[in-house]
Amino acid sequence: MTCNLGAYLGLKLVRLATLLAAVSIVSFTLVSLSPIDPVQAYIGSDVMRVGPEQRQSISAYWGLDKPPAEQFARWGSALLRGDLGTSMIFREPVAEVIGERFLNSAALMAIAWLLSGITGFTAGVIAAMKKNSWMDRLIQWYCYTLASTPTFWLGLLLLMFFSVWLGWFPIG
């Protein structure tokens, strides 16, 4: 039994590694074939202040002067070492930026999970106690409406309501 489980998990890990490698190669290829110059995108509106020597030094710093296969190998080896690079926006290691955002997202998810569990349990108890009453039908209508509403649309409506109309939260 454990041999079969080990073989099953091993096969799943091999498939996961193959999928991640394929997605990485396809993504890298698509980005490298993009007509957008990454140095130009980084410089932005300061294009008139940056000379060709500075552009070449930025390109060399990022390794864009190397062939695509060497760029991919350099990126892959850094990724395997756990080096995700430095964020151009925050000027911090990407792993730290992701870690900070992950903790905030996990806290928000835990609160949402707790509130939805309490609300769902309470609504279920009320609907069961008031079976076939107007309260039961109202809870059923709410549940069906919530289940059939696209989350992105509901999120936009909540942003409009709490951020734009009430002004309680920032939009971005």
Side-chain angles (χ1 to χ4, degrees):
M1 177 80 175
T2 57
C3 181
N4 289 339
L5 179 63
Y8 175 77
L9 291 177
L11 179 64
K12 288 294 182 182
L13 285 175
V14 168
R15 290 178 68 187
L16 176 65
T18 305
L19 176 67
L20 289 175
V23 168
S24 297
I25 291 169
V26 169
S27 298
F28 184 84
T29 303
L30 289 175
V31 168
S32 66
L33 293 176
S34 171
I36 298 172
D37 179 25
V39 176
Q40 178 68 35
Y42 175 71
I43 294 170
S45 62
D46 293 336
V47 70
M48 299 307 283
R49 297 183 193 156
V50 177
E53 300 85 21
Q54 288 177 312
R55 290 175 67 94
Q56 286 178 345
S57 67
I58 292 171
S59 182
Y61 177 75
W62 285 347
L64 298 174
D65 56 344
K66 309 274 191 255
E70 189 176 333
Q71 291 176 25
F72 184 77
R74 182 175 157 199
W75 172 82
S77 65
L79 183 66
L80 290 176
R81 287 191 314 270
D83 179 16
L84 300 179
T86 304
S87 169
M88 289 187 282
I89 296 172
F90 299 105
R91 303 282 188 237
E92 296 177 11
V94 172
E96 289 180 15
V97 174
I98 290 173
E100 179 184 324
R101 303 296 191 280
F102 176 78
L103 290 177
N104 293 338
S105 296
L108 185 61
M109 184 179 67
I111 292 169
W113 184 74
L114 183 66
L115 287 176
S116 67
I118 291 170
T119 304
F121 181 78
T122 305
V125 168
I126 292 171
M129 290 173 51
K130 306 283 187 179
K131 189 166 176 79
N132 295 325
S133 69
W134 68 271
M135 185 73 74
D136 181 32
R137 285 191 287 280
L138 180 68
I139 291 172
Q140 283 182 5
W141 173 84
Y142 172 75
C143 290
Y144 288 139
T145 303
L146 198 61
S148 62
T149 303
T151 53
F152 67 88
W153 186 74
L154 183 62
L156 287 174
L157 286 179
L158 291 173
L159 271 174
M160 280 181 22
F161 183 75
F162 289 110
S163 298
V164 177
W165 295 337
L166 296 178
W168 290 0
F169 303 110
I171 291 179

